[in-house]
Amino acid sequence: MKTQLSFIILLILGLSSAVSAQQTRATAGRYGVFIQTDRLLHGPRYIIERLETNVGQTDWKPVYTTDESPHSATDLVARLTLLTRKNPLYELPADSLIELLYARYRDVSTVDSLESYGWNPQYLEAFGIGFLDTAVVQNRRYDYRIRPLTVAGSGASRSPVTVSVPGPTIAATARSIRHSADGSVVKITYLLRRTTPDLAGARLLRATYNQTGFAECGAEWGFRKGKKDSLFLEITDANARHKMVYQYVVLLNDFLGNESRPSDTLTIANLRPLEQLPAILSFRTSSEEASNAIRLSWQLSSVKDVRSIEIWRSDRYDDGYRRIASALPTDTTYSDNRVDPIRGYYYQIRPNGTYDALPASVRVSGMLRANRLALLPPSHLKLTQLNDTLYFRWQRADVDTRGYYIYVSNSAMGSMMPYSGIILSTDSMVHYRIPVSKLAVGVGYRWAVVAVNTSYNTGPLSQIVYSDPRLPDRVATPLNPELVVKEGHALLIWENMRDIDPYVRGYVVERQTDDEKTFKELYRQTPADRAQNSYEDGSVEPGHRYTYRIWAYGLNDKRSAFSPEVVYFAALSPVLPVRGVVAVVTDKGVRVGWDAPLDKSLEKILVYRYTAKTERPRLMGTLPGRQIEFIDREATPGISYFYSIVAVQTDNRESAPTDPVGVEWQ
């Protein structure tokens, strides 16, 4: 079983190797077309055939038969040496490196194990699994196919692959990240992106600024690996002349001569440090009130090779600098009149030379002293009170206005004092609002606005506007309500809150009956009642429960909370039973009689009967309330009967049963 399993595994691996071996790759470039016949090392030899498709050829022509695998490191060196004639990008490494590479080649089975050498056409052809076809013509298209070389001849060909000469532009890019020059050597570092293992080198083109075109300059270059698999191109141009301005462009290429797009043009002046511009000896500012400007003055050690002097300004010390002017090399002063008084500014000067710019100077602060008077007040001041807020609106005093102060007074003749902090605004129409909750209750105010200009001088007061006194958000809640029960009346009394809160204008009494779910307004006082602290309800009825609560109201519909609730209830008078109940036997039956009821509002009379053997009385009749007798025609002689009378009111309330009255019918 194990033997069969091992055979199956070997068969699967053999099939996988056969599939991998059937991969054919053809790549075109400036130096020819490279055909890779296999990815397996130490494999069979192949015959490579070519067909030119542009001219209508139909016959395949053999162009090359791959070599056997190299037998030694010496054999590998000999092959690599011969191949250097086919491609100027091919190079011959040191013998020690070839020996290490051959030792690794001998122990592995695929080109993937050779790392970057598995992408190099020179080494792939030396290993016998590739061929660089240099007998091709540019701007034509070719088909290639391969046949395995066998003892009997050639085997079946694989599917052909088509290539166009030259190849496409490679995707790799180069971006300059730093450069330096010391007057004799120019050094540039490029960061490479989107690189592939077949990247072979670079071409550096150089031009003298505004004098010559771009050409190769013979600079030295080399690749350097950085962190996180980043790749850098280091270039050293030792042929640069002193005090010359150069422009550089780099193009990356692969082993077949395909190149990338040119990098961005880099302009470098080959100067010694700080030889291009003089030193800045002094730089200071001063205030010129007469011209309403800040004056800048500076001194340079020399103006040789200085083309201009840029002046930069910011409102902040650390950042935000913008160029505001450019002075001549011979100028030593500049007046900045686009400034506001009493406002800090920060300045730098940056001299520009023939080749480069000097680093910025130190940062110097400047300020224009206050020199303008505020002569005009704000105009058209309006005050509107809406939803517990005061809304102010006015027009700007003049174009030099920086902000405003609001002044206030709570008396008719007193002096006005500042109420707000500075309100910064340069708009032609200014709006401001004050919540009424910040003002004292019950006090009227006078208001005015004062303008502040850019010199921080204040002008005269605007016209006066008035605001109504602020009313409290709530009035006092009625306290200690009490209820006095009278015959058919309910007298409600509470403390007079006008003694505590002068803003109470009146009271509202609400009532809820026992058959209602909510309180309803029962009584609302008018100003003519002068906030009387009592109310008498004459609509109460006995037997019903009434709940009362009170709340006060003031000006502008302000109201208090609800007072504690008080309850009124008067019980109904009991129903009086009838009197003088007698029972006698007649020829018609047992006659039950009673005196006329004292309560004339009785609705009905109920007559009950029971015997010694019954557990509960039986209703024998229901009579009108004014009737005074009842004849029991169902009575049977020989039985003793007992009778009881119950009076019923119109609201179905019943009186207590009368004492039983007995009769014995013989």
Side-chain angles (χ1 to χ4, degrees), residues 502-521:
Y503 298 99
V504 173
R505 297 186 62 195
Y507 302 96
V508 176
V509 179
E510 294 183 353
R511 185 183 74 179
Q512 181 185 18
T513 61
D514 48 9
D515 58 350
E516 295 175 340
K517 296 182 179 180
T518 59
F519 281 89
K520 296 182 179 179
E521 184 176 311

Side-chain angles (χ1 to χ4, degrees), residues 286-304:
S286 60
S287 176
E288 287 186 341
E289 293 82 8
S291 57
N292 196 37
I294 297 177
R295 183 175 184 270
L296 284 70
S297 60
W298 60 86
Q299 182 181 359
L300 304 180
S301 60
S302 172
V303 295
K304 180 182 179 181

Side-chain angles (χ1 to χ4, degrees), residues 350-665:
R350 304 179 184 181
N352 292 320
T354 304
Y355 308 102
D356 205 349
L358 189 71
S361 68
V362 296
R363 300 162 186 167
V364 178
S365 62
M367 180 180 292
L368 176 62
R369 294 192 183 96
N371 62 336
R372 303 173 187 168
L373 298 178
L375 303 176
L376 299 176
S379 59
H380 300 93
L381 176 62
K382 301 293 182 182
L383 172 59
T384 305
Q385 185 169 345
L386 182 64
N387 296 331
D388 297 331
T389 303
L390 299 181
Y391 293 91
F392 294 85
R393 183 183 65 182
W394 64 87
Q395 289 186 1
R396 182 174 59 183
D398 57 27
V399 294
D400 190 40
T401 300
R402 183 174 184 269
Y404 305 88
Y405 289 101
I406 292 183
Y407 278 65
V408 68
S409 175
N410 58 2
S411 63
M413 302 300 295
S415 61
M416 305 191 74
M417 303 296 294
Y419 175 82
S420 68
I422 187 170
I423 305 170
L424 298 176
S425 178
T426 57
D427 298 336
S428 59
M429 183 64 70
V430 186
H431 299 267
Y432 192 75
R433 60 184 180 182
I434 298 175
V436 177
S437 58
K438 294 185 177 181
L439 306 179
V441 176
V443 180
Y445 291 93
R446 296 185 298 135
W447 303 89
V449 180
V450 171
V452 182
N453 65 4
T454 55
S455 297
Y456 285 86
N457 291 321
T458 57
L461 290 172
S462 67
Q463 72 268 31
I464 305 297
V465 293
Y466 299 86
S467 64
D468 296 330
R470 172 197 166 194
L471 301 176
D473 295 333
R474 280 186 175 273
V475 293
T477 302
L479 302 176
N480 303 322
E482 295 182 2
L483 197 61
V484 179
V485 179
K486 294 184 176 182
E487 182 71 25
H489 293 78
L491 178 60
L492 190 62
I493 303 175
W494 59 91
E495 289 192 18
N496 191 356
M497 306 312 296
R498 284 290 297 270
D499 299 337
I500 302 174
D501 187 350
Y503 298 99
V504 173
R505 297 186 62 195
Y507 302 96
V508 176
V509 179
E510 294 183 353
R511 185 183 74 179
Q512 181 185 18
T513 61
D514 48 9
D515 58 350
E516 295 175 340
K517 296 182 179 180
T518 59
F519 281 89
K520 296 182 179 179
E521 184 176 311
L522 179 65
Y523 168 69
R524 177 184 290 268
Q525 289 184 347
T526 63
D529 295 328
R530 298 183 180 180
Q532 182 179 349
N533 59 325
S534 64
Y535 172 70
E536 186 171 1
D537 183 9
S539 62
V540 296
E541 296 179 356
H544 292 279
R545 182 179 299 275
Y546 299 91
T547 304
Y548 297 89
R549 68 183 183 188
I550 311 104
W551 54 271
Y553 66 88
L555 297 174
N556 294 346
D557 297 328
K558 305 296 183 181
R559 56 182 293 173
S560 70
F562 295 110
S563 70
E565 298 176 359
V566 291
V567 178
Y568 168 86
F569 178 77
L572 294 171
S573 58
V575 181
L576 298 177
V578 297
R579 307 179 65 181
V581 180
V582 295
V584 295
V585 177
T586 65
D587 55 353
K588 296 181 180 179
V590 179
R591 176 182 177 275
V592 182
W594 55 86
D595 296 339
L598 298 176
D599 189 353
K600 304 301 182 181
S601 62
L602 291 180
E603 182 178 6
K604 54 188 174 180
I605 299 293
L606 304 180
V607 180
Y608 291 90
R609 185 189 75 181
Y610 57 93
T611 65
K613 295 181 179 181
T614 57
E615 296 181 357
R616 53 189 302 176
R618 175 187 174 190
L619 178 62
M620 298 303 297
T622 301
L623 308 176
R626 296 185 180 181
Q627 192 166 335
I628 59 174
E629 68 175 8
F630 171 73
I631 298 177
D632 184 6
R633 301 181 188 278
E634 297 180 5
T636 303
I639 300 177
S640 298
Y641 294 99
F642 298 90
Y643 295 90
S644 179
I645 307 300
V646 174
V648 181
Q649 268 285 8
T650 55
D651 55 1
N652 293 328
R653 291 184 299 114
E654 298 181 352
S655 68
T658 61
D659 294 334
V661 176
V663 64
E664 184 174 351
W665 195 352

Side-chain angles (χ1 to χ4, degrees), residues 1-10:
M1 183 66 181
K2 293 183 178 178
T3 304
Q4 294 179 355
L5 181 60
S6 301
F7 177 76
I8 294 173
I9 293 175
L10 291 174

